[in-house]
Amino acid sequence: MKRKNLLALSQDELVEGFIRAALNQSEALRLEEDAEFNRLFDQMEEIEKELKSRAGDQRRGLIPFYSHPNAQVRYAVAVATLEINREAARNVLEMISERHEFPQAAHANGILEAIKAGRT
Amino acid sequence: MARFDDAQRARWLRPNARIYVRPGGRCFMQPDACRFLRPDWKRFVQPGFAPVFLSQLEGKANFNPNQPRVPKGNPNGGQWTYEEGWRNGANRPFSAGRRPRIGHNQGPPLDEPPKVPENKPATKKEQNGFVKGLARWIDTAKQSKKNPVAKYLLLIEAVSWFDEFQHASIISYQDPPAELNELQEAAQGEPKLGYERHHIRMQKPARDDGFPDSMIDSPENVVLIPYWKHRDITGWFNQKNKDPKYNGLSPTEYLQGKTWDERREVGLEALRIHGVLKP
């Protein structure tokens, strides 16, 4: 998803694109398709950057998805909003970890270790 | 809702229970399956029916028939309590400050268990997809503290095409984290069904960077871990990572040109975050 294409999208469209990519990542993980996972990772990074750059930091549009049924969606929105909604985002990651929602729990545990180590 | 649930369960006890099974539904649950929810469920298991498998799962699910239950007459009467008993009849399954668990108002409910394919899937990939999904679902369900052991039995009974390895791989996935020396010693022992040898510092990246096999294959670098955890960890090494340390790279990319010690650090992190190695 090219940067100039993202500029033309509304906030809702960006958020929808992020969530859809996270759902596709979930499927890529299930099918062990790492290349596809990584392609979607890059796409989501671009969307996140674009949301961040918009007035008021529109990553907050991802916050309502903290209770999404899909663990990959919850993980992705939690990490994307850690900077602007730290405690609640951290709680989401800790819940994924405690519920053993693997493979997402492994990524969540990694971020939680990074938080503990002061890296984020 | 409790009355509705009771009515739903009761229909399975009627002589005409089969009329409530949807066409083709036998692949998922038998009409008299609710007997496995009773405390005396064991007497309904056929003698010799994978007894080792069931007791292994029971052990790993921390099933304890003496665990306190919510007293009769309370809204959740009969269910195992998380805390010890009830105080003044208050419904307090969680102590103050405990994080919400599966099914609690603040957490998404546990997914339904993976649907059992009616016939054995044609490809190994499809079979593995189901087996891996089931292993993960059981691990997640165990964390709910609501004794879902009975649910596992329904699933296992429904699946007639599992082979020994598939059974073993589901059980091994439920292993609690272990000490590093235990994992290393196990790797030096006899091969074990449901487990695989794993290199803490991944083989190919280390070899590509010029480290000799004598170091890569040394006992210090090899552990025995559950099969599906091995697959998960291998995937994790190849997946781009949001931890700032990796700067958007996968751990494998990050480790290019890195030292032997740095590789160990990342390798141990992989084992820890996947619940294989004790923190």
Side-chain angles (χ1 to χ4, degrees), chain A residues 29-30 32 34 38 42 45 48 74 79 91 94-95 98-100 102-103 106-107 109 113 119, chain B residues 99-100 102 106 108 132 136 139-140 143 173 231 238-240 242-245 272-274:
Chain A
L29 285 171
R30 190 183 70 81
E32 297 182 352
D34 297 327
N38 291 338
D42 291 339
E45 288 279 275
E48 193 185 324
R74 278 182 273 125
V79 175
N91 284 346
E94 282 174 335
M95 189 186 292
E98 290 185 11
R99 285 159 61 111
H100 280 211
F102 286 99
H107 288 267
N109 288 337
E113 282 198 3
R119 291 199 294 274
Chain B
R99 301 197 181 284
I102 292 170
Q106 294 174 41
K132 181 172 60 174
R136 283 178 177 162
D139 184 34
T140 305
Q143 310 311 315
Y173 197 84
R231 295 281 285 259
N238 294 326
Q239 290 151 15
K240 292 190 172 190
K242 289 288 283 185
D243 181 339
K245 172 170 85 179
R272 255 190 336 267
I273 63 177
H274 283 85

Side-chain angles (χ1 to χ4, degrees), chain B residues 9-257:
Chain B
R9 283 189 205 111
R11 61 182 176 160
W12 297 111
L13 298 173
R14 297 179 200 153
N16 65 342
R18 286 193 180 273
I19 67 173
Y20 298 108
V21 180
R22 59 179 168 82
R26 68 175 177 83
C27 62
F28 186 64
M29 184 183 290
Q30 294 178 0
D32 56 356
C34 68
R35 59 190 173 158
F36 291 108
L37 301 174
R38 294 161 48 160
D40 59 343
W41 58 267
K42 279 186 186 176
R43 66 189 186 92
F44 299 112
V45 177
Q46 292 176 20
F49 175 74
V52 170
F53 185 38
L54 296 178
S55 62
Q56 283 178 328
L57 268 184
E58 196 178 49
K60 292 195 184 210
N62 297 314
F63 175 67
N64 176 9
N66 299 317
Q67 186 175 346
R69 289 180 188 252
V70 174
K72 218 194 288 195
N74 283 283
N76 294 314
Q79 290 189 18
W80 272 270
T81 66
Y82 192 73
E83 301 287 22
E84 282 182 24
W86 291 71
R87 292 172 195 149
N88 302 322
N91 186 346
R92 287 166 55 184
F94 305 104
S95 63
R98 274 205 68 88
R99 301 197 181 284
R101 302 246 174 197
I102 292 170
H104 187 268
N105 286 343
Q106 294 174 41
L110 177 65
D111 285 342
E112 286 299 307
K115 283 227 160 89
V116 180
E118 185 166 346
N119 299 307
K120 182 174 181 175
T123 67
K124 212 60 185 171
K125 187 173 181 179
E126 288 170 327
Q127 291 174 35
N128 285 344
F130 172 73
V131 172
K132 181 172 60 174
L134 179 55
R136 283 178 177 162
W137 184 86
I138 291 172
D139 184 34
T140 305
K142 269 164 47 194
Q143 310 311 315
S144 77
K145 307 287 185 196
K146 284 187 177 178
N147 182 29
V149 170
K151 293 181 189 175
Y152 315 155
L153 303 179
L154 297 175
L155 285 164
I156 293 157
E157 188 178 27
V159 183
S160 59
W161 48 261
F162 273 171
D163 61 30
E164 257 192 271
F165 170 77
Q166 287 163 338
H167 271 136
S169 71
I170 291 174
I171 292 177
S172 68
Y173 197 84
Q174 318 307 321
D175 280 0
E179 300 287 353
L180 181 58
N181 64 305
E182 292 173 321
L183 300 171
Q184 288 166 326
E185 281 162 22
Q188 300 308 310
E190 291 297 314
K192 212 167 151 193
L193 201 58
Y195 295 80
E196 274 190 342
R197 287 196 172 86
H198 163 72
H199 290 75
I200 295 171
R201 301 166 184 87
M202 299 290 272
Q203 279 179 290
K204 188 176 182 311
R207 207 170 275 135
D208 288 349
D209 267 355
F211 290 99
D213 284 350
S214 57
M215 287 176 78
I216 295 168
D217 295 328
S218 71
E220 177 266 340
N221 195 45
V222 183
V223 289
L224 193 73
I225 66 174
Y227 177 80
W228 291 118
K229 291 287 186 181
H230 192 191
R231 295 281 285 259
D232 283 350
I233 289 172
T234 302
W236 178 84
F237 266 97
N238 294 326
Q239 290 151 15
K240 292 190 172 190
N241 199 303
K242 289 288 283 185
D243 181 339
K245 172 170 85 179
Y246 297 110
N247 202 24
L249 299 174
S250 68
T252 295
E253 288 169 324
Y254 166 81
L255 284 172
Q256 283 175 14

